[in-house]
Amino acid sequence: MGRRCWRQRVLAAACLGAALLLLCAAPRTLSPVFGNRALGSSWLAGERRSPLQKLYDLDQDPRSTLAEVHRQRRNLLSSACSRHTRRQRLLQPEDLRHVLVDDAHGLLYCYVPKVACTNWKRVLLALSGQTRGDPRAIPAHEAHAPGRLPSLADFSPAEINRRLRAYLAFLFVREPFERLASAYRNKLARPYSAAFQRRYGTRIVQRLRPRALPDARARGHDVRFAEFLAYLLDPRTRRDEPFNEHWERAHALCHPCRLRYDIVGKFETLAEDAAFVLGLAGAPGLSFPGPPRPRGAAASRDLAVRLFRDISPFYQRRLFDLYKMDFLLFNYSTPSYLRLH
């Protein structure tokens, strides 16, 4: 990972702005930097090595194939940020709402909906000791319950920066249009999503379907994929309120060009990447809930292919432009099924 990378990590944290002051002159250190047991981590007092220190050790070992994979992903992300981002607004604490904190293990996890975030929340609850046994036994509504896992936004600026310097930060991403297709299917096309359909589906139908039947206007239960995309592309949507997290761009949720992530996991390699993170956290015996069902990756792509088949090239191009940064930053190729020219 190198000294230069650790200095970049500190400098990235400084981009949180004046409200989150950080001593940029001090490079990020891999030895215990705090004697503060109030954070609840024995590794902060030097009793054991932190996940970040373990990653640094692996980075020095040429035999560690997975460490090399993640080093390359970090470098690709850093290069893409340099090439494709201009001056951005300074982050405020509330921008860190999606970054969850595990003080006991020194972890920061930025969750992206539709990228195994329910299972990651289950795992973090198990790591924190809030539940016993198999993480899969934790109901989804409990994993997502507000307040079960602390957010980085809940801390003071000094505490935020302390964690940014000392903790292993990771996120998981997914091919953007496959994630979008999954969000549409699960939140707008399935009968168990009635509450979501009432909130967003009715809005989409009333805005984009002039001759909608009264039942559709009241329930929002039959939104077509083309209508969903038109809603995303309508300037009024983001003017009225931010995108819902299930279709917000991953870079807008996790700010990877402002915060340095040590691990960029991918949905497509979920099992391997999750095991790598848990090994660094000192919990190799904790099993991440099973990967997607057989043919999961292929089924995810097949769904996107089928849904985008009837979308015109004009709207495909506009939607690609909307999600382009996620493709660029996380090294995803333009889907072959798109007709962009």
Side-chain angles (χ1 to χ4, degrees), residues 10-151:
V10 175
L11 292 173
C15 293
L16 291 171
L20 300 179
L21 294 177
L22 184 66
L23 295 178
C24 298
R28 177 166 178 178
T29 177
L30 294 178
S31 59
V33 290
F34 314 114
N36 184 358
R37 285 183 177 271
L39 293 180
S41 299
S42 61
W43 52 266
L44 286 173
E47 297 173 16
R48 58 188 175 90
R49 297 187 69 74
S50 74
L52 193 59
Q53 291 167 324
K54 291 178 183 177
L55 180 61
Y56 178 82
D57 291 343
L58 288 174
D59 273 352
Q60 312 311 305
D61 183 355
R63 298 169 298 177
S64 179
T65 304
L66 268 178
E68 175 62 17
V69 166
H70 290 287
R71 185 188 67 78
Q72 291 178 5
R73 289 181 185 174
R74 284 194 302 272
N75 291 343
L76 285 169
L77 175 58
S78 177
S79 297
C81 286
S82 298
R83 290 195 308 270
H84 301 295
T85 59
R86 299 176 181 177
R87 183 176 180 181
Q88 305 175 65
R89 68 176 178 82
L90 297 176
L91 294 182
Q92 300 301 316
E94 191 58 32
D95 293 315
L96 306 176
R97 182 59 57 189
H98 271 244
V99 181
L100 304 180
V101 179
D102 178 354
D103 279 329
H105 297 85
L107 300 175
L108 298 175
Y109 163 56
C110 185
Y111 70 92
V112 178
K114 307 311 301 174
V115 193
C117 78
T118 301
N119 283 337
W120 267 115
K121 289 180 179 181
R122 287 169 169 147
V123 166
L124 291 178
L125 287 171
L127 284 172
S128 69
Q130 295 188 47
T131 184
R132 301 293 180 186
D134 190 340
R136 288 173 293 188
I138 303 172
H141 71 274
E142 288 188 18
H144 292 295
R148 290 296 303 272
L149 294 165
S151 165

Side-chain angles (χ1 to χ4, degrees), residues 8 81 150 164 178 235 249 280:
Q8 289 173 345
C81 286
L164 287 174
E178 292 180 16
R249 287 74 50 86
L280 293 172

Side-chain angles (χ1 to χ4, degrees), residues 176-177 179-180 228-229 232-233 243 246-251 318-328:
F177 282 179
R179 175 177 169 248
L180 189 64
F228 173 55
L229 300 187
L232 296 180
L233 293 169
F243 272 170
H246 290 85
W247 45 79
E248 180 60 280
R249 287 74 50 86
H251 77 272
R318 290 187 61 196
L319 195 73
F320 182 79
D321 289 342
L322 180 61
Y323 286 85
K324 186 175 182 178
M325 285 301 296
D326 277 1
F327 282 98
L328 293 172

Side-chain angles (χ1 to χ4, degrees), residues 63 90 102 120 144 149 163 172 207 276 283 300 309 312 325 338:
R63 298 169 298 177
L90 297 176
D102 178 354
W120 267 115
H144 292 295
L149 294 165
R163 287 165 173 82
F172 274 71
R207 181 187 297 181
F276 186 64
S300 177
R309 182 180 299 139
S312 72
M325 285 301 296
L338 296 185

Side-chain angles (χ1 to χ4, degrees), residues 6 10 32 69 125 161 184 189 210 214 231 251 264 274 282 318 330 339:
W6 302 114
V10 175
V69 166
L125 287 171
N161 283 320
Y184 164 75
Y231 168 77
H251 77 272
V264 178
R318 290 187 61 196
F330 302 117
R339 307 182 305 279

